[in-house]
Amino acid sequence: MSAHLTHTQDSAENQAVGDVEAYMTRLGQAARQAASRMRRAATADKNAALLAMAARLDEARQEVLAANARDLERGREGGLDAALLDRLALDEGRLDAMIEGLKQVATLPDPVGEIDGLRARPSGIQVGQMRVPLGVIGIIYESRPNVTLEAASLCLKSGNAAILRGGSEARASNAAIAACIDAGLRDAGLPEAAVQVVATTDRAAVGRLIAMPEFVDVIIPRGGKSLIERISREARVPVIKHLDGVCHVYIDASADPDKALMIAVNAKTQRYGTCNTMETLLIDAPVAETLLPRLAEAYAAHGVELRGCERTRVILPQAAVASEEDWATEYLAPVLAIRVVDGIEAAIEHIERYGSHHTDAIVTEHYGLARRFMAEVDSSSVMVNASTRFADGFEYGLGAEIGISTDKLHARGPVGLEGLTTRKYVVYGDGQVRR
Amino acid sequence: MSAHLTHTQDSAENQAVGDVEAYMTRLGQAARQAASRMRRAATADKNAALLAMAARLDEARQEVLAANARDLERGREGGLDAALLDRLALDEGRLDAMIEGLKQVATLPDPVGEIDGLRARPSGIQVGQMRVPLGVIGIIYESRPNVTLEAASLCLKSGNAAILRGGSEARASNAAIAACIDAGLRDAGLPEAAVQVVATTDRAAVGRLIAMPEFVDVIIPRGGKSLIERISREARVPVIKHLDGVCHVYIDASADPDKALMIAVNAKTQRYGTCNTMETLLIDAPVAETLLPRLAEAYAAHGVELRGCERTRVILPQAAVASEEDWATEYLAPVLAIRVVDGIEAAIEHIERYGSHHTDAIVTEHYGLARRFMAEVDSSSVMVNASTRFADGFEYGLGAEIGISTDKLHARGPVGLEGLTTRKYVVYGDGQVRR
């Protein structure tokens, strides 16, 4: 179903916005103006808005669930698959979690205004760096309507204005949630344009959103790889992006076998569809023969399909043949590629060649090898003796997460409030001039 | 003179590189490979390379000056203006400064490997962030040949590989300097591909350099606004850019008049051609009548041309009329726009509307206004009672500067070694798995 068709067929929840370019320009202008108000918003006011949104959502449970039911019905009619429908669905439990999430963001420390490294210079000035909002953040996401609220709350708390563009399949839910956000902002005396939910499913809106550097400072796409690649290619503003997670666990010969087993099983099986799930297991040749059969047994109990290199298949004949393509694949499924390697050098080479620089772990009790792995593996998270599944904003103590960045510049790895801010230099003087 | 013409006419210093695309791809591949070696290079080896380069340059003074003389001659024949010829020219004094610069970078602390914020989490893992090189940095610059050495030294010290593309007018000088860099890297046992100077002036080389995300992690253009805008528009990798500096000093009614005078004169007259020079003076109405005549006298002594708003011209009839365009102009010359404003609110509005978010200062003795200006002005440097001319990597204590970023993401303001690095998450565990 094309965006244009939806636009004309379903005008109730898809507002008639007129010319889409002009509409997006108006959103951009309003966001830019709201951003300069939000930049100086008091922490107390931002927290009050978050709590007011929570209260408004609690009052509007029936409206939100009714809107969600309309989205689900349309989705079923349109032939959405079960996984997408599940991501789209809201229920009382999910609403509870959304309300709780808002309250938690209110309790997080406000990153704005923090000054680091204030030092006196020989000239007599004092120089430091102050954390400040980025400005206007555009977020483009797919089916899950709770992202609307999560993104709004994180952008708000970090002093930014946000323009949110959700998936067309969630448009009724998003509109109902947007009403709660607006009301909460009004209750707290903050500008409603601090969070704007794009009220059209016309795809041209995305094209315009990512090409207004005068109004938008950064785009954060959340969704499938193809969406993110397209946005990165076409954007005229910086993009904080999250591509795939081809994550590795390398079990060195020096590993504690029990830790190795626990970590390798947890990293693969605790959840299959997440980006920090291990996709390839690398195992050092001297311990392959003893550990692989134990691992295979554990994976079999979880129904994980194994694909191995030749040396793996000598030990585990039940494993399928891993092709060159397997090493670079993010399965997001109960499938695991296994390769026997000769030591850490070969493991790091494999990770560098086939990995996606997301999260990689070593299991070892050897001090020097642990240090080397941590220094040399160029990924957003590197770990010793821990499951890759820990690569997550909450587990890292960020308190919240807008996504995981696989970029190198600005924010790398899980992105919390700090990743939505930048730092400017502050200089305090008493009349100093440059000689 | 087109790049193609130069290419065929001057083959001595413009190597026959064959197919430019293929040549740049080879440089990219070699850089990517060198980057993974440089990532783990010991601080001592990097410093040894810097000192070896200094020694090699000292030995090669005659060759470098002879090459520079050829560039200057070609420049004069080609009709380069005096300012460009001055920027292109090397002499013993400039060579001394370049050698000294290398030694200073060797004394700077190595940013690579520093771990921040390592904290225990309830799960038992410890999480922190380790500073690591960006990878491969492409630097595109114009006439000044000493940039070749500066850029090489900063990229090297921060553990990156660099691909340097200098201006065609400096090609002989750059080739001679590149030979010293290569020799220094060899002396220290580091890969020569850690610093590669593009050996063709064909413009297609730039087009390819900025569009190889598989080999290049970031582009830093140094040069005029049009060069930087073109590169930003066409790049397929992140760009750390420096656009214009329309810097302001706002003198509040609460200012100490002597400090105001000293700062406003220094910010404009200490140097005219620098990006942190004040271009517009904003003055609070209650003190305009007493301060503007004293300021005008000082500016007259420096030969600065004044352009004022209507209220300014009532007090200073000698000032020309400032047009709407003047407020947004980076003069880089002894010209100053002056506007009388009604208080800090109007000053901040003016800065937000016309400024370039580079460097802005307030002169005040009022605590609350100082705090407000620092919080609300959204520029890469904000100052109280100090000259805008302090916005500089050396004055800020970065020890070195690859440029000043007017971007918001990643690095903002003067960019030193830290701006050439990024941070990855490090997780230390003892067998922890996710529940």
Side-chain angles (χ1 to χ4, degrees):
Chain A
M1 166 167 47
S2 88
H4 183 68
L5 264 179
T6 354
H7 183 56
T8 51
Q9 284 176 340
D10 191 10
S11 58
E13 277 126 9
N14 195 27
Q15 292 177 22
V17 297
D19 175 62
V20 173
E21 293 260 321
Y23 167 71
M24 292 307 293
T25 302
R26 286 198 303 277
L27 291 197
Q29 283 166 332
R32 180 58 81 210
Q33 208 167 358
S36 69
R37 170 72 185 85
M38 291 307 296
R39 190 160 64 225
R40 56 180 199 267
T43 306
D45 292 340
K46 296 187 287 189
N47 290 343
L50 291 166
L51 297 178
M53 287 176 195
R56 292 289 191 163
L57 182 60
D58 198 21
E59 286 162 23
R61 281 171 181 263
Q62 291 327 305
E63 289 93 314
V64 173
L65 291 177
N68 188 245
R70 290 198 297 280
D71 282 336
L72 287 169
E73 198 190 326
R74 199 186 327 97
R76 274 187 293 264
E77 282 167 7
L80 287 191
D81 67 30
L84 267 176
L85 286 171
D86 177 61
R87 287 164 65 194
L88 180 54
L90 295 176
D91 56 23
E92 292 288 351
R94 286 190 176 175
L95 285 180
D96 290 344
M98 288 160 71
I99 291 168
E100 192 49 39
L102 285 169
K103 293 178 183 170
Q104 281 191 5
V105 173
T107 68
L108 293 176
D110 188 340
V112 176
E114 181 183 302
I115 294 180
D116 283 334
L118 193 67
R119 285 198 193 90
R121 297 289 307 149
S123 60
I125 59 171
Q126 266 189 306
V127 182
Q129 285 179 285
M130 183 193 281
R131 199 161 278 289
V132 292
L134 284 171
V136 178
I137 301 177
I139 300 186
I140 299 162
Y141 51 102
E142 292 170 338
S143 45
R144 293 194 307 126
N146 47 331
V147 173
T148 306
L149 209 65
E150 274 175 37
S153 65
L154 295 177
C155 291
L156 172 67
K157 181 72 184 235
S158 52
N160 293 288
I163 301 178
L164 310 178
R165 172 45 151 84
S168 62
E169 62 283 7
R171 60 184 175 276
S173 314
N174 286 339
I177 293 167
C180 301
I181 293 172
D182 281 354
L185 287 165
R186 265 198 315 273
D187 293 346
L190 291 176
E192 282 181 55
V195 179
Q196 298 179 94
V197 175
V198 176
T200 169
T201 55
D202 193 325
R203 283 206 179 186
V206 172
R208 178 75 184 129
L209 179 59
I210 64 176
M212 316 192 282
E214 64 280 32
F215 301 130
V216 177
D217 295 295
V218 60
I219 292 288
I220 306 178
R222 288 181 56 163
K225 194 175 173 180
S226 68
L227 170 82
I228 293 172
E229 281 179 340
R230 186 168 58 84
I231 286 172
S232 304
R233 208 170 40 239
E234 294 170 13
R236 290 195 41 229
V237 292
V239 177
I240 298 179
K241 63 181 170 294
H242 174 188
L243 292 172
D244 42 359
V246 180
C247 302
H248 302 78
V249 172
Y250 165 59
I251 301 176
D252 186 73
S254 62
D256 175 311
D258 293 329
K259 290 181 192 169
L261 203 71
M262 284 205 335
I263 290 168
V265 172
N266 183 265
K268 182 69 232 180
T269 67
Q270 203 248 346
R271 269 182 76 184
Y272 295 111
T274 46
C275 59
N276 54 17
T277 297
M278 167 179 65
E279 305 293 9
T280 299
L281 175 69
L282 301 171
I283 187 159
D284 203 1
V287 291
E289 215 160 326
T290 55
L291 277 183
L292 279 183
R294 288 178 64 189
L295 282 162
E297 199 178 329
Y299 289 129
H302 283 91
V304 174
E305 178 196 333
L306 304 182
R307 302 185 188 173
C309 68
E310 277 183 41
R311 292 161 83 183
T312 300
R313 296 185 64 247
V314 170
I315 304 164
L316 303 177
Q318 71 270 39
V321 179
S323 69
E324 187 74 5
E325 209 188 317
D326 278 295
W327 308 128
T329 299
E330 184 181 25
Y331 297 118
L332 297 171
V335 181
L336 177 68
I338 304 180
R339 185 171 204 173
V340 177
V341 295
D342 293 307
I344 191 171
E345 191 108 18
I348 293 176
E349 266 179 40
H350 179 102
I351 292 169
E352 187 146 343
R353 178 153 176 206
Y354 298 104
S356 66
H357 306 283
H358 189 297
T359 300
D360 299 293
I362 185 174
V363 189
T364 182
E365 295 299 325
H366 188 289
Y367 171 83
L369 294 184
R371 262 175 73 89
R372 186 167 169 202
F373 191 88
M374 295 305 259
E376 293 184 20
V377 172
D378 185 28
S379 298
S380 74
S381 290
V382 286
M383 305 184 170
V384 183
N385 294 352
S387 169
T388 55
R389 286 281 297 128
F390 281 113
D392 172 281
F394 292 91
E395 292 294 336
Y396 283 1
L398 305 184
E401 181 187 289
I402 192 108
I404 294 186
S405 163
T406 54
D407 287 327
K408 284 186 172 182
L409 268 74
H410 190 65
R412 197 175 187 196
V415 180
L417 290 176
E418 198 178 287
L420 301 180
T421 64
T422 180
R423 293 192 305 171
K424 68 183 179 190
Y425 281 96
V426 291
V427 175
Y428 297 93
D430 299 292
Q432 279 81 7
V433 296
R434 182 119 177 236
R435 305 284 166 201
Chain B
M1 162 165 50
S2 87
H4 183 71
L5 265 176
T6 356
H7 183 59
T8 51
Q9 282 175 343
D10 191 10
S11 59
E13 276 127 11
N14 195 24
Q15 292 177 25
V17 298
D19 175 63
V20 174
E21 293 260 322
Y23 167 70
M24 292 306 293
T25 303
R26 285 198 302 278
L27 291 197
Q29 283 166 332
R32 180 59 81 207
Q33 207 165 2
S36 68
R37 170 75 185 84
M38 292 307 295
R39 190 159 65 225
R40 56 179 198 266
T43 307
D45 292 340
K46 295 188 285 188
N47 290 343
L50 291 166
L51 297 177
M53 287 176 194
R56 292 289 190 162
L57 182 59
D58 198 23
E59 287 163 22
R61 280 170 181 266
Q62 291 328 305
E63 289 92 315
V64 174
L65 290 176
N68 187 245
R70 290 197 298 279
D71 283 334
L72 287 168
E73 198 190 328
R74 198 184 328 97
R76 275 186 294 263
E77 283 167 7
L80 286 191
D81 68 30
L84 266 176
L85 286 171
D86 177 61
R87 289 164 63 193
L88 180 54
L90 294 176
D91 56 23
E92 292 288 352
R94 287 190 177 177
L95 285 179
D96 289 344
M98 287 161 68
I99 290 167
E100 191 50 38
L102 284 168
K103 292 178 182 168
Q104 280 189 8
V105 173
T107 68
L108 292 177
D110 189 339
V112 175
E114 181 183 301
I115 294 180
D116 284 334
L118 193 66
R119 284 198 194 91
R121 296 290 306 149
S123 60
I125 59 172
Q126 267 189 306
V127 181
Q129 286 180 285
M130 183 192 281
R131 199 162 278 291
V132 292
L134 284 171
V136 177
I137 300 177
I139 301 186
I140 298 162
Y141 52 102
E142 292 171 335
S143 45
R144 294 195 306 127
N146 48 331
V147 173
T148 306
L149 209 64
E150 275 175 37
S153 66
L154 295 177
C155 291
L156 172 68
K157 181 72 184 235
S158 51
N160 293 287
I163 302 178
L164 309 177
R165 172 43 152 84
S168 61
E169 63 283 7
R171 61 184 175 275
S173 314
N174 285 340
I177 292 166
C180 301
I181 294 171
D182 281 354
L185 286 165
R186 265 198 314 273
D187 293 346
L190 291 176
E192 281 180 56
V195 180
Q196 299 179 94
V197 176
V198 175
T200 170
T201 56
D202 192 323
R203 285 204 177 186
V206 172
R208 178 75 184 129
L209 179 58
I210 65 176
M212 314 191 282
E214 64 279 31
F215 301 131
V216 176
D217 294 294
V218 60
I219 292 288
I220 304 179
R222 288 181 55 161
K225 195 176 172 178
S226 68
L227 169 82
I228 293 171
E229 282 179 338
R230 187 169 56 83
I231 286 172
S232 304
R233 207 170 40 240
E234 294 170 13
R236 289 197 41 231
V237 293
V239 177
I240 297 178
K241 62 180 171 298
H242 175 188
L243 294 171
D244 40 1
V246 179
C247 302
H248 302 77
V249 172
Y250 164 60
I251 301 177
D252 186 73
S254 63
D256 174 312
D258 293 330
K259 289 181 192 169
L261 204 72
M262 284 204 336
I263 289 168
V265 172
N266 183 266
K268 181 70 232 182
T269 67
Q270 203 245 347
R271 268 182 77 185
Y272 295 111
T274 45
C275 58
N276 54 17
T277 297
M278 168 179 63
E279 304 293 8
T280 299
L281 175 69
L282 301 171
I283 187 159
D284 202 1
V287 291
E289 215 160 325
T290 55
L291 278 181
L292 279 183
R294 289 176 65 190
L295 282 161
E297 200 179 326
Y299 288 130
H302 283 91
V304 173
E305 178 198 334
L306 304 182
R307 301 187 189 172
C309 67
E310 278 184 38
R311 292 161 84 182
T312 300
R313 295 185 65 246
V314 171
I315 305 165
L316 302 177
Q318 71 271 38
V321 179
S323 69
E324 186 74 5
E325 206 188 318
D326 278 295
W327 308 129
T329 299
E330 183 181 24
Y331 297 118
L332 298 170
V335 181
L336 177 67
I338 304 181
R339 185 171 207 175
V340 177
V341 294
D342 293 306
I344 191 172
E345 190 107 18
I348 293 177
E349 266 179 40
H350 179 103
I351 292 169
E352 186 146 343
R353 177 151 176 206
Y354 298 104
S356 66
H357 307 283
H358 190 296
T359 299
D360 300 293
I362 186 173
V363 189
T364 182
E365 295 299 325
H366 188 290
Y367 171 82
L369 293 183
R371 262 175 74 89
R372 186 164 168 202
F373 191 88
M374 297 304 260
E376 292 184 19
V377 172
D378 186 28
S379 298
S380 75
S381 288
V382 286
M383 305 185 169
V384 183
N385 294 352
S387 169
T388 55
R389 286 279 299 126
F390 281 113
D392 172 282
F394 292 93
E395 292 294 336
Y396 283 0
L398 305 184
E401 179 187 288
I402 192 105
I404 294 186
S405 163
T406 54
D407 286 327
K408 284 186 170 179
L409 268 72
H410 189 65
R412 198 175 186 195
V415 180
L417 290 177
E418 199 179 283
L420 300 179
T421 63
T422 181
R423 295 192 303 170
K424 68 183 180 190
Y425 280 95
V426 290
V427 174
Y428 298 94
D430 299 292
Q432 279 81 5
V433 295
R434 183 121 176 236
R435 304 287 165 200

